[in-house]
């Protein structure tokens, strides 16, 4: 007499496999710069799934792209929210397309994003971003900002983020903000900047309200830093250091309504993730 097995239905779904790559962007070497995850997709998954993967990765950003007639649709997610622009994850995505997977010939890749068309070009060992400029302007400053920063900037300007200008590099290095207080201020993020000792300027970037207490190297912040320091120093080409614990190096150029932001991309990890197939 044979044994009949009964397998209960626990509501399990077939799994789908998605490639994942981790790249250190704006890095001088491995374990520096800003790590980003990159997931190539054949078509878009539900937003809830994209957000869950980003939360599971627990990196400042996870980039997803879908190839579309020789161009690429690109989206970025922090562990908490989708964002409209991210520099380091765009560098990471371009390096995966051009170098790791070699999906297309030539040094240039064009993305379509929530911030419009974004082009990335490989120039030697640098990946050069062409991003819209976000120059800072005079603004109404939240009265709780100084208490949240636990420091007093010499000036505060506004774009997407607050740009908090300090007198010198040491003041920026010494910042230890109250992240809970920063998180409730109605700005996407907070840039702290000052003249650099061995570069044109230094910066740090905080966005605790978006799931990123401190970002190691932030391309999007340099869409504001570049026009500010270009005007202040009277030069179009700039070299900046993001003085987080990991550190970042960014070569910038003010091009009027656009900015060029360049940096290196160091591959770290390749793998496969499995998630429920929502189409099954």
């Amino acid at each position: 007499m044979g044994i009949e097995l009964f397998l209960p239905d626990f509501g399990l779904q077939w799994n789908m496999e998605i490639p994942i790559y981790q790249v250190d962007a704006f890095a001088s070497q491995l374990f520096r710069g800003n790590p980003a995850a990159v997931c190539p997709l054949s078509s878009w998954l539900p937003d809830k799934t994209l957000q869950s993967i980003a939360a599971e990765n627990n990196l400042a950003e996870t980039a997803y792209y879908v190839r579309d007639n020789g161009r690429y649709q690109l989206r970025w997610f922090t562990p908490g929210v989708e964002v409209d622009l991210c520099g380091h994850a765009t560098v990471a995505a371009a390096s995966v397309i051009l170098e790791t997977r070699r999906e297309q010939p030539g040094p240039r890749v064009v993305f379509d994003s929530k911030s419009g068309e974004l082009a990335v070009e490989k120039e030697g060992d640098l990946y050069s971003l062409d991003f819209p400029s976000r120059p800072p302007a005079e603004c109404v400053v939240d009265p709780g900002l100084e208490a949240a920063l636990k420091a007093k900037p010499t000036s505060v300007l506004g774009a997407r983020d607050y740009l908090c200008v300090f007198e010198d590099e040491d003041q920026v290095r010494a910042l230890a903000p109250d992240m809970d207080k920063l998180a409730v201020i109605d700005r996407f993020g907070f840039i702290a900047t000052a003249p650099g000792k061995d570069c044109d300027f230094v910066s740090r970037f905080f966005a605790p309200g978006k799931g990123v207490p401190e970002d190691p190297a932030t391309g999007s912040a340099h869409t504001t830093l570049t026009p500010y320091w270009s005007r202040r120093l009277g030069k179009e080409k700039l070299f900046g250091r993001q003085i987080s614990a990991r550190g970042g190096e960014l070569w910038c150029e003010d091009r009027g309504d656009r900015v060029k932001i360049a940096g290196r991309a160091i591959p770290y990890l390749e793998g496969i993730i499995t998630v429920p197939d929502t189409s099954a």
Side-chain angles (χ1 to χ4, degrees):
M1 180 177 176
I3 298 175
E4 183 176 350
L5 296 177
F6 172 69
L7 299 178
D9 180 7
F10 291 111
L12 298 179
Q13 296 175 295
W14 293 105
N15 285 335
M16 63 185 302
E17 295 185 340
I18 300 172
I20 185 169
Y21 304 87
Q22 188 170 317
V23 179
D24 290 342
F26 301 129
S28 57
Q29 61 189 50
L30 193 63
F31 309 127
R32 300 287 186 181
N34 202 348
V38 180
C39 294
L41 302 173
S42 56
S43 60
W44 288 113
L45 302 176
D47 287 3
K48 184 177 180 180
T49 302
L50 299 179
Q51 187 63 73
S52 295
I53 293 170
E56 186 75 8
N57 290 340
N58 200 30
L59 296 170
E61 247 87 20
T62 296
Y64 304 93
Y65 69 79
V66 173
R67 190 164 189 173
D68 183 16
N69 295 321
R71 294 162 68 102
Y72 294 86
Q73 299 173 30
L74 181 64
R75 297 171 69 183
W76 313 272
F77 287 76
T78 76
V81 297
E82 183 175 8
V83 297
D84 66 348
L85 188 66
C86 177
H88 83 278
T90 303
V91 164
S95 74
V96 168
I97 291 167
L98 294 175
E99 289 294 312
T100 307
R101 292 169 63 93
R102 297 189 181 274
E103 293 185 16
Q104 65 179 50
R108 191 170 187 267
V109 59
V110 179
F111 296 106
D112 294 307
S113 76
K114 287 191 171 184
S115 290
E117 180 180 297
L118 305 174
V120 184
E121 190 160 350
K122 193 168 190 299
E123 302 174 347
D125 65 343
L126 298 180
Y127 288 87
S128 174
L129 303 168
D130 176 23
F131 270 14
S133 181
R134 289 174 167 171
E138 298 291 333
C139 66
V140 177
V141 179
D142 189 289
L145 180 61
E146 287 185 17
L149 289 173
K150 295 194 285 189
K152 182 178 176 60
T154 58
S155 65
V156 178
L157 301 171
R160 180 194 69 173
D161 312 306
Y162 273 137
L163 180 68
C164 306
V165 183
F166 290 86
E167 290 183 1
D168 58 51
E169 179 176 322
D170 291 337
Q171 290 178 316
V172 175
R173 285 190 184 276
L175 286 174
D178 184 320
M179 295 299 175
D180 290 336
K181 290 181 178 179
L182 277 185
V184 299
I185 295 176
D186 188 20
R187 283 281 166 163
F188 181 92
F190 306 85
I191 307 167
T193 190
K197 296 177 181 179
D198 63 349
C199 56
D200 292 306
F201 63 90
V202 298
S203 66
R204 292 173 69 188
F205 183 81
F206 310 99
K210 305 303 179 185
V212 184
E214 180 168 7
D215 199 36
T218 316
S220 62
H222 287 72
T223 64
T224 297
L225 286 160
T226 300
Y228 172 81
W229 285 106
S230 178
R231 287 198 302 267
R232 178 165 164 176
L233 299 178
K235 57 194 294 189
E236 294 179 353
K237 294 184 178 181
L238 304 156
F239 175 59
R241 294 190 186 276
Q242 194 153 335
I243 52 175
S244 62
R246 291 176 63 101
E249 298 180 346
L250 301 94
W251 288 261
C252 307
E253 183 178 348
D254 187 1
R255 295 178 169 179
D257 62 350
R258 309 287 293 184
V259 295
K260 175 181 175 181
I261 305 166
R264 297 183 180 90
I266 313 295
Y268 169 65
L269 176 150
E270 297 183 25
I272 297 290
I273 59 176
T274 55
V275 297
D277 187 349
T278 55
S279 66

